[in-house]
């Protein structure tokens, strides 16, 4: 385990199980639809690549990078598109792939953004959710697991752009960020 982690919250095996059960539901729900998985950079990269391997339907993929104004560990309601998707979304059933939903501000903005691009449907698949921190009440269709209000890193998730490469999800020691 990394020295900056307090403890491991989810092992690689536990993450794999969560990814497989999410994919199973998606495989059933999106039969006959025009699925496109859109990953939110950069946190979703490991989840996206593991999830898409378990999708048995024909699908497209794309990425979007959004940043919210304001600094620190909390996001504001104002979101900025840093890198947009690279194809039209008309008629496509968009499934947004995200690492973690916290306040909900980012996904609230991105959902509306994709609807305005004429997507047929827009749903959300997040590996982790921190329900206690929700500010905007948006429907999240697929949640891997709910987590307590602690700062987690690894499996794509960062603190200050570090720890994304850890293959497990760990709780960061508060001494690292306070
Ligand atoms: P929201 O707009 O407040 O829902 O912010 C969601 C984003 O905040 C996620 O995509 C992450 O980038 C970041 N975030 C929230 N909680 C954590 C955490 O515990 N570890 C790492 N990143 C987090
Ligand atoms: Mg993120």
């Amino acid at each position: 385990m990394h020295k900056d982690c307090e403890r491991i919250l989810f092992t690689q095996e536990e993450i794999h199980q969560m990814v497989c059960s999410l994919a199973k539901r998606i495989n059933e729900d999106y039969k006959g639809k025009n699925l496109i998985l859109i990953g939110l950079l950069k946190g979703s990269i490991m989840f996206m690549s593991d999830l898409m391997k378990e999708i048995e339907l024909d699908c497209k993929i794309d990425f979007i990078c959004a940043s919210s104004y304001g600094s620190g560990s909390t996001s504001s309601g104002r979101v900025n598109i840093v890198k947009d998707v690279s194809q039209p979304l008309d008629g496509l059933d968009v499934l947004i792939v995200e690492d973690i939903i916290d306040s909900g501000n980012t996904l609230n903005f991105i959902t509306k953004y994709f609807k305005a691009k004429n997507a047929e449907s827009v749903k959300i698949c997040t590996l982790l959710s921190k329900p206690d921190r929700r500010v905007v009440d948006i429907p999240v269709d697929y949640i891997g697991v709910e987590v307590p209000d602690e700062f987690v890193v690894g499996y794509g998730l960062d603190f200050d752009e570090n720890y994304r490469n850890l293959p497990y999800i760990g709780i960061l020691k508060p001494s690292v960020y306070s």
Side-chain angles (χ1 to χ4, degrees), residues 2-178:
H2 194 286
K3 63 171 175 48
D4 293 348
C5 286
E6 204 166 76
R7 65 186 170 91
I8 292 177
L9 190 58
F10 300 112
T11 63
Q12 291 186 71
E13 290 71 24
E14 287 166 332
I15 295 167
H16 181 67
Q17 285 310 313
M18 290 190 256
V19 170
C20 288
S21 56
L22 287 169
K24 196 168 171 234
R25 289 177 52 205
I26 295 165
N27 283 327
E28 308 226 322
D29 296 350
Y30 281 86
K31 268 183 198 139
K33 302 207 173 204
N34 297 315
L35 176 61
I36 180 167
L37 303 170
I38 304 183
L40 252 77
L41 293 172
K42 292 172 264 197
S44 73
I45 54 154
M46 283 200 194
F47 179 39
M48 178 77 160
S49 73
D50 286 344
L51 183 71
M52 61 192 275
K53 282 183 269 187
E54 305 300 329
I55 300 291
E56 294 163 355
L57 309 165
D58 290 343
C59 71
K60 296 181 165 67
I61 71 157
D62 213 320
F63 293 94
I64 191 164
C65 184
S67 72
S68 63
Y69 292 94
S71 58
S73 57
T74 48
S75 74
S76 67
R78 295 173 63 211
V79 178
N80 185 29
I81 306 289
V82 177
K83 178 231 167 284
D84 206 345
V85 290
S86 61
Q87 58 199 296
L89 300 181
D90 306 67
L92 295 179
D93 294 294
V94 172
L95 185 57
I96 303 170
V97 179
E98 172 65 312
D99 52 359
I100 187 166
I101 176 166
D102 191 46
S103 70
N105 281 323
T106 309
L107 285 170
N108 184 43
F109 179 91
I110 296 289
T111 300
K112 288 182 188 152
Y113 184 70
F114 289 156
K115 283 184 178 160
K117 279 182 180 277
N118 251 337
E120 179 72 23
S121 66
V122 182
K123 291 189 172 185
I124 294 168
C125 176
T126 183
L127 182 64
L128 308 177
S129 171
K130 284 184 187 170
D132 297 347
R133 302 254 310 169
R134 206 62 41 83
V135 172
V136 196
D137 186 27
I138 47 164
V140 185
D141 305 273
Y142 305 93
I143 296 177
V145 69
E146 291 188 341
V147 294
D149 183 13
E150 288 181 280
F151 206 85
V152 292
V153 293
Y155 196 69
L157 291 141
D158 74 307
F159 174 69
D160 203 14
E161 295 299 331
N162 294 312
Y163 316 107
R164 291 193 195 275
N165 59 313
L166 303 179
Y168 50 84
I169 294 169
I171 295 179
L172 194 62
K173 285 181 182 165
S175 58
V176 177
Y177 56 85
S178 53

